[in-house]
Amino acid sequence: MLTKIRQRRALVAKELSSAAAGCSPEPPFEKEQKLTDSTQPQAQQSPTPDPALARLADLVGTWTIKGRPLGADEDNIRGETTFAWLEGEQETSFFLTQDMEMDYDGQKIRSHELIGYDPKAGTFASLVFSNMAPDPWPYEWDVDGDDITISIHKAPMDATFTGKFAPDRQSFSGGWRPAPGADKAVNAPYDLVATRSG
């Protein structure tokens, strides 16, 4: 009788062992590997400059500026400005810089500008830091083929520059004009010519 009980227990143990073999748990190292894979942070793709910035490429370089107030008989505006990519190359730069020194009828103006592209608005927005104000002034740019447009709408400034490149891209010319109703004492209209010098 005792022998039959032992044989029966051995048979049950064998059946349980066989069933367990068909659904064996994952080895601990496999569980750890899956957990590591699922919690591993995904590599983030570095942002790249918007291709629209290429429209500003013809501005890169140093330009000599001369101009005069609207209606004047001779030039009394002179200066020099330099445009350069912030990272040295267009392909790796998110911003174009402009550093300008100007003598406007005896008034010395120095400024540093950062121009970037806003894809949501489809515009080139900039900030100008200068010796004329304690805060940066926001400008908006557009270069479309030969046409150059720059505008500012920050009281009391409210004016737009409309200009055009020469066919050889060695100069551009145009003028600043106040918006209708803007204070002309602050937004004085004037014309200028910029000639590439470097």
Side-chain angles (χ1 to χ4, degrees), residues 74-88:
E74 59 183 35
D75 295 337
N76 62 354
I77 300 170
R78 290 177 175 82
E80 184 176 87
T81 189
T82 298
F83 293 88
W85 296 111
L86 185 62
E87 285 294 310

Side-chain angles (χ1 to χ4, degrees), residues 18-62:
S18 298
C23 58
S24 58
E26 295 177 335
F29 75 90
E30 290 187 7
K31 284 186 176 181
E32 181 178 353
Q33 182 65 40
K34 287 185 177 181
L35 181 61
T36 301
D37 292 343
S38 63
T39 57
Q40 188 73 21
Q42 298 295 319
Q44 293 185 352
Q45 186 176 0
S46 299
T48 56
D50 197 291
L53 288 163
R55 287 159 51 190
L56 304 178
D58 286 331
L59 292 168
V60 173
T62 299

Side-chain angles (χ1 to χ4, degrees), residues 7-198:
Q7 290 176 344
R8 179 60 180 171
R9 286 179 177 175
L11 181 60
V12 171
K14 184 177 180 180
E15 290 175 350
L16 290 174
S17 177
S18 298
C23 58
S24 58
E26 295 177 335
F29 75 90
E30 290 187 7
K31 284 186 176 181
E32 181 178 353
Q33 182 65 40
K34 287 185 177 181
L35 181 61
T36 301
D37 292 343
S38 63
T39 57
Q40 188 73 21
Q42 298 295 319
Q44 293 185 352
Q45 186 176 0
S46 299
T48 56
D50 197 291
L53 288 163
R55 287 159 51 190
L56 304 178
D58 286 331
L59 292 168
V60 173
T62 299
W63 305 78
T64 299
I65 300 171
K66 64 178 181 178
R68 64 183 65 177
L70 197 63
D73 295 328
E74 59 183 35
D75 295 337
N76 62 354
I77 300 170
R78 290 177 175 82
E80 184 176 87
T81 189
T82 298
F83 293 88
W85 296 111
L86 185 62
E87 285 294 310
E89 295 181 357
Q90 174 188 322
E91 292 76 11
T92 56
S93 296
F94 293 96
F95 297 95
L96 183 71
T97 66
Q98 179 183 195
D99 290 284
M100 185 188 72
E101 292 190 9
M102 177 182 286
D103 184 325
Y104 189 105
D105 195 22
Q107 184 175 26
K108 305 295 185 180
I109 302 172
R110 298 185 64 187
S111 66
H112 175 71
E113 183 172 11
L114 286 174
I115 308 168
Y117 183 69
D118 181 353
K120 293 182 179 179
T123 58
F124 296 95
S126 80
L127 286 176
V128 175
F129 303 83
S130 76
N131 63 334
M132 303 294 292
D135 58 336
W137 288 359
Y139 284 74
E140 188 175 291
W141 285 70
D142 189 26
V143 177
D144 185 7
D146 295 339
D147 299 324
I148 306 169
T149 305
I150 314 166
S151 59
I152 180 171
H153 306 290
K154 174 182 169 62
M157 301 297 294
D158 191 3
T160 298
F161 172 85
T162 303
K164 188 178 290 288
F165 277 112
D168 61 2
R169 292 300 196 268
Q170 296 305 299
S171 66
F172 65 85
S173 59
W176 281 94
R177 299 292 185 268
D183 184 353
K184 291 185 179 181
V186 178
N187 300 274
Y190 67 93
D191 294 326
L192 64 81
V193 176
T195 303
R196 191 182 295 277
S197 57

